[in-house]
Amino acid sequence: MANVVVVGAQWGDEGKGKIVDWLSERADVVVRFQGGHNAGHTLVIDGVTYKLSLLPSGIVRPGKQSVIGNGVVIDPWALTDEIDRLQSQGVEVTPDNLRIAENAVLILPLHRELDGMREAAAGAGRIGTTGRGIGPAYEDKVGRRAIRVCDLQNADNLDAKIERLLAHHNALRRGLGEGEVDGRALREELLAIAPCILPYMDTVWNLLHSARRDSKRILFEGAQGIMLDIDFGTYPFVTSSNTIAAQAASGSGVGPDTLGYVLGIAKAYTTRVGSGPFPTELHDATGELIGERGREFGTVTGRKRRCGWFDAVMVRQAIKTSGISGIALTKLDVLDGFDEIKVCTGYRLDGEVVDRLPAGQGAQARIEPVYQTFEGWKDTTAGARSWADLPAQAVKYVRQIEELIECPIALLSTSPEREDTILMRDPFEDHIR
């Protein structure tokens, strides 16, 4: 049986939460391995909506072990708020079913403030971050000045760590014309939140090693999407972590041989939040209609998502850089009723047709989509649970997508409800590469 890695194959917001929840019923352990509380996963279970940012989607399933890995940056105040919110909805969250990596980096108030200051100062050149301090926290991690979960155990060692951290941050703040951070106040904030976080702390790499030794099924849950990867995304309009499947290993402390089937999630169209290139974006009534039907607003930010046609070039590239074994295609029902549907099959760059997204920011801004047009369907796909329930043209569209992205469709989602899912290949059982 394969362990499964779930990653977004576009710019995030592909519907990973529902798919991970659907898979978690068959998993024993669910692991978040990168990102922060800028992620937003919406689950609809028995008519109840759960909105998650930091917690793995498996947390809403009784009997599942949820894990936040070392690759995640954790805002301890946001985490406690999320735990409280879920508990108020009747979800059990205790140290028995949630463990947090001792070496995970903390997001502090000064990170959120710096995020906002930089975006404000950048003006038209802003990247479009969520303003939650994710990027600055990752900067401190690689700068070797971060405060980690395990540091909350020892109050005596905090002073030196805070001093080192503020030597950097207060210099930045002075340069931006802002007041300095009070080290004593920060220390008190950390000591106050520590009792809320430390009961969940664990040596996650060892926990996962034990789970693997005991033949437990592990589900690795990614956040954002591959085209927001710090190395392979539309840089600099990207997130601050690696979002490709390989990060599941380094972001949780397991070897790459632990990773089995890689399931990529992609919408039947394309969306993006924030700034950056978007070759297939629609600035017309069709784009507005897709956004309305798909309820395309960010789970975390509430920001309106930009909408466009399916980009097969981008998804094919994501499949290659992440070693994706199969795709879960979501929101097919949003395309019901269109007379024709377009798919981007190539890019025109400086008069030449290319089959990849170039790395350069200037080149990305100049590319134009090359479309292939497909016949739409009038009957509904909403709520379909088998191929027999789908209109013939919808089946044809899915099969043509498979050919264009050079990867099989493993799952098909036809509504936010977890039961409205058509299974073609079982990620936990399918070892085909």
Side-chain angles (χ1 to χ4, degrees):
M1 294 180 293
N3 296 319
V4 177
V5 184
V6 176
V7 290
Q10 294 163 316
W11 278 297
D13 307 309
E14 301 97 347
K16 293 183 292 297
K18 171 194 166 171
I19 300 300
V20 170
D21 173 60
W22 191 88
L23 291 169
S24 68
E25 191 170 44
R26 305 186 58 213
D28 301 300
V29 184
V30 184
V31 185
R32 268 288 307 275
F33 59 84
Q34 51 79 218
H37 64 305
N38 54 345
H41 294 169
T42 300
L43 311 180
V44 180
I45 302 171
D46 297 328
V48 180
T49 299
Y50 303 95
K51 294 183 181 295
L52 306 177
S53 294
L54 269 170
L55 293 171
S57 296
I59 198 70
V60 300
R61 293 286 165 195
K64 308 299 178 182
Q65 179 73 67
S66 291
V67 174
I68 298 177
N70 56 276
V72 179
V73 286
I74 300 170
D75 182 323
W77 296 275
L79 178 59
T80 54
D81 286 346
E82 188 172 336
I83 290 172
D84 290 344
R85 186 175 68 252
L86 280 184
Q87 288 176 333
S88 72
Q89 291 184 277
V91 177
E92 182 180 14
V93 184
T94 73
D96 290 331
N97 67 341
L98 174 65
R99 307 306 289 166
I100 300 172
E102 61 186 353
N103 52 338
V105 165
L106 297 178
I107 300 173
L108 308 177
L110 56 83
H111 293 128
R112 295 194 299 271
E113 293 167 4
L114 180 60
D115 214 348
M117 293 173 192
R118 283 175 169 169
E119 284 288 89
R126 61 186 179 273
I127 294 173
T129 76
T130 58
R132 282 162 168 73
I134 313 297
Y138 275 118
E139 289 177 41
D140 283 344
K141 177 179 182 176
V142 298
R144 293 166 292 183
R145 55 182 170 264
I147 294 175
R148 304 191 297 177
V149 173
C150 57
D151 295 328
L152 298 177
Q153 290 183 107
N154 194 328
D156 294 336
N157 291 340
L158 268 181
D159 289 335
K161 291 182 178 294
I162 290 172
E163 183 178 356
R164 175 177 171 78
L165 181 69
L166 294 189
H168 174 79
H169 277 270
N170 281 338
L172 287 177
R173 294 170 73 97
R174 288 194 297 269
L176 291 167
E178 301 288 342
E180 296 187 359
V181 174
D182 183 335
R184 288 185 179 179
L186 177 58
R187 183 180 190 274
E188 292 306 311
E189 286 183 283
L190 289 171
L191 292 178
I193 198 67
C196 300
I197 301 298
L198 288 176
Y200 300 98
M201 188 180 74
D202 205 340
T203 307
V204 158
W205 63 265
N206 197 43
L207 182 155
L208 295 177
H209 172 77
S210 298
R212 187 184 181 198
R213 181 191 60 205
D214 295 339
S215 299
K216 292 185 176 179
R217 288 175 165 178
I218 306 173
L219 180 60
F220 297 91
E221 177 182 8
Q224 290 90 40
I226 292 168
M227 299 314 295
L228 291 175
D229 185 273
I230 189 69
D231 290 307
F232 296 102
T234 48
Y235 190 91
F237 304 100
V238 293
T239 193
S240 302
S241 61
N242 286 112
T243 58
I244 59 174
Q247 177 65 18
S250 58
S252 56
V254 301
D257 63 333
T258 304
L259 312 181
Y261 191 100
V262 180
L263 181 67
I265 316 297
K267 285 176 180 169
Y269 50 97
T270 310
T271 63
R272 178 166 198 168
V273 172
S275 306
F278 186 169
T280 66
E281 184 173 11
L282 295 169
H283 301 279
D284 58 12
T286 299
E288 288 293 323
L289 181 59
I290 290 173
E292 290 171 9
R293 286 186 177 180
R295 300 176 183 176
E296 296 298 351
F297 295 90
T299 301
V300 171
T301 63
R303 289 187 293 181
K304 185 178 180 180
R305 296 175 186 141
R306 300 153 65 189
C307 298
W309 295 120
F310 186 86
D311 189 335
V313 183
M314 183 179 73
V315 173
R316 187 170 63 239
Q317 186 164 320
I319 287 166
K320 293 176 180 178
T321 58
S322 223
I324 289 174
S325 314
I327 287 287
L329 195 67
T330 65
K331 293 198 169 184
L332 182 66
D333 54 301
V334 173
L335 298 182
D336 290 353
F338 282 97
D339 292 328
E340 61 179 31
I341 298 169
K342 294 183 179 181
V343 174
C344 175
T345 59
Y347 300 136
R348 186 170 286 104
L349 175 62
D350 300 333
E352 179 185 355
V353 176
V354 298
D355 62 354
R356 61 179 176 82
L357 185 69
Q361 184 178 352
Q364 289 177 359
R366 295 197 306 276
I367 59 175
E368 299 175 354
V370 176
Y371 285 119
Q372 184 174 347
T373 302
F374 300 101
E375 182 183 346
W377 55 89
K378 294 301 180 183
D379 295 330
T380 183
T381 64
R385 299 182 183 181
S386 72
W387 277 112
D389 295 334
L390 295 175
Q393 281 303 128
V395 173
K396 187 176 180 180
Y397 177 75
V398 172
R399 291 308 188 194
Q400 288 167 324
I401 291 294
E402 279 186 314
E403 292 181 13
L404 290 170
I405 63 176
E406 300 171 8
C407 185
I409 303 295
L411 291 154
L412 193 62
S413 172
T414 57
S415 92
E417 292 289 343
R418 68 188 302 274
E419 292 82 6
D420 295 338
T421 306
I422 302 171
L423 175 67
M424 279 82 82
R425 290 170 177 248
D426 187 335
F428 278 116
E429 301 292 345
D430 191 347
H431 296 268
I432 298 173
R433 282 286 182 179

